[in-house]
């Protein structure tokens, strides 16, 4: 059994970053991280794995190499969190007592919500894949290469997901790949989304609709995948009205099906009603990131109910706020740092272009760079930032707790823009 000053549950993007920050501050053995996986992945690159630009091995490092050496790593899964007793019990029965806890478990793919999906993903011949998994993102690239013509369908589910831009990014990359291979005219590309819009922020949605139109991708709204029949290469979709009622149902043939699965928080979290809201996400204050009920508990990343875009970019900003506020809490002081909802989504549109969307709570656009991006244009620079620069920053600065978002770039980018006569 263990006890510690700070327990971090989950050692992914958010948990690893916070563990590194506090292991430095609190010293040896003060921090315990509970993380079951021996590997740490840079998930944002899985989109480019699906498009054949990277391999999954390029996105993977050992968890040991990124978690702080000064912290204790318990290689296990949280099974029950008892916030009244400041105690966590793991699946293997370890009991960990803590003074403070940060919940950072991310969200899981809920394959079972769609009958037939898991079998189809596991069947190499089904033509069904997802970039939302280390296990299946290379299958997307295989399916793209095997495609010779017909219907390529891309889906977006009816739950919150991480990186809500990725389901359409892979559709754009597929179009670009088919163009390169000279088979685009033989393909019908469909983007079937449960949402009523292509993107939540109008400025970017307008530009993305132009991209989809130029690429001849048919965008179908309120359209939900409900079953996969991988053996006969068919998929069932339901079209809903604005009230969520079924309007129609159809089973259609596909030649390639890219699925964005439904997602949810891990079971130990979503079933603990003291910790979560009615949607099953950790119930924290959206500005301070402190749990609404338990003041010695904070949350970071995809598992919380803060209404921002679930991205690694958001975690870069959140980790600073959480650090400042948790330090205050540790001194019996009132937390005062505030998270503004920053999130970013580099929407790759081909093998060398990307629209870099950046925004705050309530869809307020908040861009860093004074060029291309100010009018949401497709840019080469944004593509190389996504492919090369962001992974570099992630491994070398963010996970170590030294990167708090691109705000510092804005301080010199804005005067440059003014000099160049551009408006913000
Ligand atoms: P994760 O990094 O997923 O970590 C959660 C950790 O908790 C995992 O290590 C897991 O093993 C652990 N865990 C789970 N259950 C338990 C348990 N019971 N006990 C203990 N530990 C547990 N973000 C961007 O900023 N830009 C992008 O372009 C972008 N593109 C993306 C494309 C794809 C295809 C995907 C999948 C993601 C993308 N993201 C992007 C999103 C980004 O990767 C996530 O938002 C981010 O990694 C979330 O960090 P997290 O710490 O909340 O969760």
């Amino acid at each position: 059994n263990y006890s510690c000053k700070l327990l971090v549950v989950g050692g992914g993007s958010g948990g690893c970053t916070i563990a590194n920050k506090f292991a430095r501050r609190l010293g040896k053995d003060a921090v315990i991280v509970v993380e079951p996986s021996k590997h740490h992945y840079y998930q944002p690159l899985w989109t480019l794995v699906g498009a054949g630009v990277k391999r999954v091995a390029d996105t993977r490092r050992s968890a040991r190499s990124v978690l702080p050496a000064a912290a204790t790593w318990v290689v296990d899964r949280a099974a029950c969190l008892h916030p009244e007793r400041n105690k966590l019990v793991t699946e293997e029965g370890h009991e960990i007592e803590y003074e403070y806890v940060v919940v950072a478990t991310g969200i899981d793919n809920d394959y079972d919500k769609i009958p037939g999906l898991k079998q189809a993903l596991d069947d190499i011949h089904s033509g069904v894949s997802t970039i939302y998994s280390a296990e299946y993102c290379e299958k997307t690239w295989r399916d793209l290469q095997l495609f010779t013509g017909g219907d390529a369908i891309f889906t977006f589910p009816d739950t919150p997901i991480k990186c809500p831009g990725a389901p359409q990014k892979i559709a754009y990359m597929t179009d670009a790949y088919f163009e390169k291979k000279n088979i685009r005219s033989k393909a019908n590309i469909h983007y079937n989304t449960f949402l009523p819009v292509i993107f939540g922020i109008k400025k970017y949605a307008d530009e993305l609709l132009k991209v989809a139109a130029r690429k001849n991708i048919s965008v179908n709204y309120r359209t939900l995948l409900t079953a996969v029949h991988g053996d006969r290469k068919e998929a069932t979709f339901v079209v809903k009205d604005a009230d969520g009622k079924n309007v129609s149902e159809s089973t259609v043939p596909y030649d390639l099906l890219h699925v964005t699965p439904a997602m949810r928080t891990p079971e130990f979290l979503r079933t603990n009603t003291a910790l979560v809201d009615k949607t099953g996400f950790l119930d924290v204050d959206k500005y301070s990131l402190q749990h609404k009920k338990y003041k010695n508990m904070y949350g970071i990343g995809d598992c919380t109910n803060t209404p921002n875009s679930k991205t690694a970019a958001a975690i870069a900003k959140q980790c600073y706020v959480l650090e400042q506020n948790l330090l205050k809490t540790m001194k019996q002081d009132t937390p005062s740092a505030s998270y503004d909802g920053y999130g970013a989504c580099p929407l790759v549109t081909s093998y060398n272009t990307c629209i870099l969307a950046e925004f705050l709570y309530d869809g307020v656009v908040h861009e860093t760079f004074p060029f291309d991006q100010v009018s949401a244009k497709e840019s080469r620079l944004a593509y190389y930032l996504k492919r090369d620069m962001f992974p570099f920053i992630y491994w070398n600065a963010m996970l170590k707790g030294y990167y708090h978002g691109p705000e510092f770039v804005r301080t010199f980018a804005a005067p440059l823009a003014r000099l160049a006569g551009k408006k913000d």
Side-chain angles (χ1 to χ4, degrees), residues 81-96:
L81 185 52
H82 302 280
E84 312 285 356
R85 286 187 278 149
N86 294 335
K87 193 159 102 177
L88 178 89
V89 181
T90 68
E91 278 185 358
E92 286 175 15
H94 298 295
E95 295 192 0
I96 305 169

Side-chain angles (χ1 to χ4, degrees), residues 12-14 35-36 43 77-78 105 163 169 302 311-313 315 346 386:
S13 308
E35 166 58 56
Q43 301 170 37
R77 203 171 277 280
T105 57
C163 194
K169 297 182 203 178
D302 296 350
T311 54
I315 290 172
K386 157 91 186 159

